[in-house]
């Protein structure tokens, strides 16, 4: 089957990574999957031309508003994958919410990453109750064996022995929804008390204006460093070597960095928002904080309590292996796409 797959493909965003992985699942089943950036296709007529030119038989969109609205009314069956900001933010805009409800009426299925996302969608659009499936993101990690942690620290401007350091890694594309500056002041204060703690923000540039703002703040912040971009294998190796992974986002669908940290047996400290709380169970698979001061309290506790660290790491690893299987994700998407195939034949 020839499929159109629409997603917002800004580099270094979770949606772009998810889109590549789902495309791989569909192509493994023998489908031709044409992945397009929804940001480049703003009109219905452009989609109609694309469908005709490529002889497309069905479609899939990642993000109910940005991708889904472009698929309405073309007469080909389609499915939706919720992105996160569609349910957490766009739903608060009356017109967008209305459009998304219409998209769900036409969609044959919708995929939510968590039960809480499914519940949010069903509350907003009760008519879609029977077509929303839950499929957690599948996680695979592959640390680069040639990665050198000491070189990474040196490049980060940290010139101390790795043995005595506690490095907290915050991984996010530099845009406001990820709020990478949320913890900077509190962390700097802690670093002044304990000079062996550092927070390294691994932040590829997504929003150029905001990136400059982050760079300027970090430059003057004691104990905080900024690294712009890393290949995935190096990033996974850095995650494996750090003391803990941090997430300070305002909104998340499902953070791949959190799940990758769990898979790599690294403790997680995450801001207590619905997307994170769906994955991180406080004091079981990680630690949840509600403000910067609580983050520092919990981070200090983690540093001083190796037994807590071991327990969180073991639980996190088991959770990811039980609930975020790459193979299970592949089966789900391949089965759902078969339902579109069936509707073509009907």
């Amino acid at each position: 089957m020839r499929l159109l797959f629409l997603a917002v493909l800004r580099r270094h965003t979770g949606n772009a990574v998810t889109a590549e992985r789902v495309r791989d699942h569909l192509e493994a089943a023998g489908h031709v999957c044409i992945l397009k950036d929804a940001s480049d296709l703003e009109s219905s007529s452009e989609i109609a031309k694309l469908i005709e030119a490529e002889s497309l038989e069905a479609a899939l969109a990642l993000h109910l508003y940005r991708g889904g609205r472009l698929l309405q009314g073309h007469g080909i069956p389609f499915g939706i994958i919720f992105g996160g900001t569609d349910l957490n933010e766009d739903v608060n805009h009356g017109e967008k919410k209305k459009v998304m409800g219409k998209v769900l009426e036409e969609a044959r299925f919708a995929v939510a990453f968590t039960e809480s996302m499914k519940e949010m969608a069903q509350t907003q659009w009760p008519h879609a109750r029977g077509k929303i499936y839950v499929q957690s993101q599948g996680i695979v990690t592959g640390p680069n064996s040639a990665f050198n942690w000491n070189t990474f620290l040196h490049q980060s401007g940290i010139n101390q022995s790795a043995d005595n350091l506690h490095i907290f890694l915050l991984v996010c594309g530099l845009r406001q929804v990820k709020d990478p500056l949320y913890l900077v002041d509190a962390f700097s204060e802690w670093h002044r008390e304990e000079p062996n703690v550092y927070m390294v923000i691994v932040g590829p540039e997504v929003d150029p204006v905001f990136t400059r703002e982050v760079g300027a703040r970090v430059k003057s912040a004691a104990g905080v460093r900024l690294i712009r971009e890393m290949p995935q294998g190096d990033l996974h190796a850095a995650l494996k070597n750090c003391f803990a992974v941090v997430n300070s986002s305002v909104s998340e669908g499902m953070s791949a960095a959190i799940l990758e940290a769990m898979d790599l047996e690294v403790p997680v400290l995450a801001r207590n928002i619905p997307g994170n709380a769906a994955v991180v169970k406080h004091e079981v698979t990680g630690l949840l904080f509600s403000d910067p001061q609580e983050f520092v309290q919990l981070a200090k506790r983690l540093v001083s309590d190796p037994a807590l660290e071991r327990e969180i790491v073991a639980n996190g690893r088991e959770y990811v292996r039980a609930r975020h299987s790459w193979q299970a994700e592949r089966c789900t998407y391949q089965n759902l796409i078969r339902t579109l195939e069936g509707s073509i034949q009907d």
Side-chain angles (χ1 to χ4, degrees):
M1 184 166 61
R2 294 178 65 80
L3 282 158
L4 172 62
F5 188 5
L6 289 180
V8 178
L9 299 175
R10 281 190 302 185
R11 289 176 69 221
H12 311 301
T13 61
N15 280 356
V17 173
T18 301
E20 292 290 353
R21 201 173 60 250
V22 172
R23 177 171 69 169
D24 184 57
H25 294 332
L26 301 182
E27 289 182 339
H31 302 294
V32 175
C33 191
I34 295 166
L35 181 60
K36 292 285 184 182
D37 192 333
S39 307
D40 297 337
L41 296 160
E42 283 301 319
S43 76
S44 186
S45 61
E46 283 180 275
I47 298 289
K49 284 176 191 167
L50 186 61
I51 290 169
E52 189 178 354
E54 297 285 352
S55 304
L56 299 170
E57 302 160 86
L60 185 63
L62 173 51
H63 201 284
L64 181 56
Y65 183 75
R66 291 182 197 162
R69 67 194 167 94
L70 296 169
L71 296 179
Q72 289 178 279
H74 293 294
I76 62 170
F78 67 84
I80 294 292
I81 305 167
F82 295 113
T85 53
D86 41 13
L87 291 178
N88 296 329
E89 294 176 25
D90 292 338
V91 77
N92 299 317
H93 300 270
E95 191 52 41
K96 286 184 178 179
K97 181 183 170 182
K98 200 162 133 189
V99 169
M100 292 191 289
K102 295 282 186 194
V103 173
L104 277 177
E105 279 178 24
E106 202 174 324
R108 302 300 171 94
F109 65 79
V111 179
F113 296 141
T114 64
E115 286 290 345
S116 63
M117 285 175 79
K118 178 182 177 179
E119 284 162 21
M120 284 164 70
Q122 289 179 163
T123 301
Q124 298 294 344
W125 302 287
H127 64 75
R129 186 169 291 274
K131 59 172 76 169
I132 302 174
Y133 300 81
V134 176
Q135 176 55 58
S136 301
Q137 295 198 59
I139 292 298
V140 180
T141 55
N144 177 7
S145 57
F147 178 81
N148 188 299
W149 179 239
N150 286 313
T151 301
F152 170 80
L153 294 176
H154 181 70
Q155 288 170 345
S156 306
I158 300 170
N159 299 308
Q160 294 183 39
S161 165
D163 299 339
N164 303 317
L165 292 174
H166 290 98
I167 305 294
F168 292 78
L169 221 56
L170 194 164
V171 181
C172 66
L174 294 180
R175 52 194 178 122
Q176 290 187 335
V177 73
K178 299 299 181 181
D179 211 1
L181 297 174
Y182 183 64
L183 301 171
V184 165
D185 292 342
F187 203 99
S188 288
E189 202 176 312
W190 181 26
H191 173 80
R192 281 190 281 271
E193 291 169 23
E194 299 180 43
N196 65 331
V197 297
Y198 283 87
M199 181 166 73
V200 179
I201 302 169
V202 181
E205 181 178 310
V206 177
D207 175 339
V209 174
F210 186 61
T211 297
R212 287 196 289 276
E213 184 187 329
V214 172
R217 275 282 297 282
V218 167
K219 214 169 191 177
S220 60
V224 182
R225 301 289 188 269
L226 176 64
I227 296 279
R228 288 290 170 87
E229 189 171 354
M230 297 174 73
Q232 193 175 49
D234 288 354
L235 179 60
H236 288 166
L239 289 174
K240 195 161 178 60
N241 278 279
C242 75
F243 176 70
V245 166
V246 180
N247 179 291
S248 59
S249 296
V250 175
S251 168
E252 284 284 359
M254 180 173 279
S255 166
I258 287 177
L259 297 171
E260 287 165 355
M262 289 179 177
D263 193 52
L264 292 164
E265 302 181 23
V266 178
V268 169
L269 292 107
R271 191 167 176 173
N272 194 356
I273 57 171
N276 288 343
V279 173
V280 179
K281 190 173 180 188
H282 186 57
E283 297 183 338
V284 179
T285 58
L287 298 171
L288 293 170
F289 59 88
S290 297
D291 57 52
Q293 291 68 39
E294 188 179 17
F295 164 79
V296 172
Q297 288 166 10
L298 290 169
K300 285 180 174 177
R301 185 178 156 203
L302 197 59
V303 167
S304 63
D305 190 345
L308 175 66
E309 183 195 354
R310 284 194 298 274
E311 187 180 348
I312 282 173
V313 161
N315 290 338
R317 183 191 60 227
E318 287 311 308
Y319 166 78
V320 165
R321 289 174 192 180
R323 301 283 295 277
H324 293 274
S325 156
W326 176 87
Q327 196 60 48
E329 182 187 53
R330 171 161 285 196
C331 288
T332 294
Y333 283 108
Q334 290 181 351
N335 288 336
L336 286 172
I337 290 300
R338 262 187 225 116
T339 68
L340 298 185
E341 229 170 352
S343 59
I344 294 164
Q345 287 155 9
D346 295 344

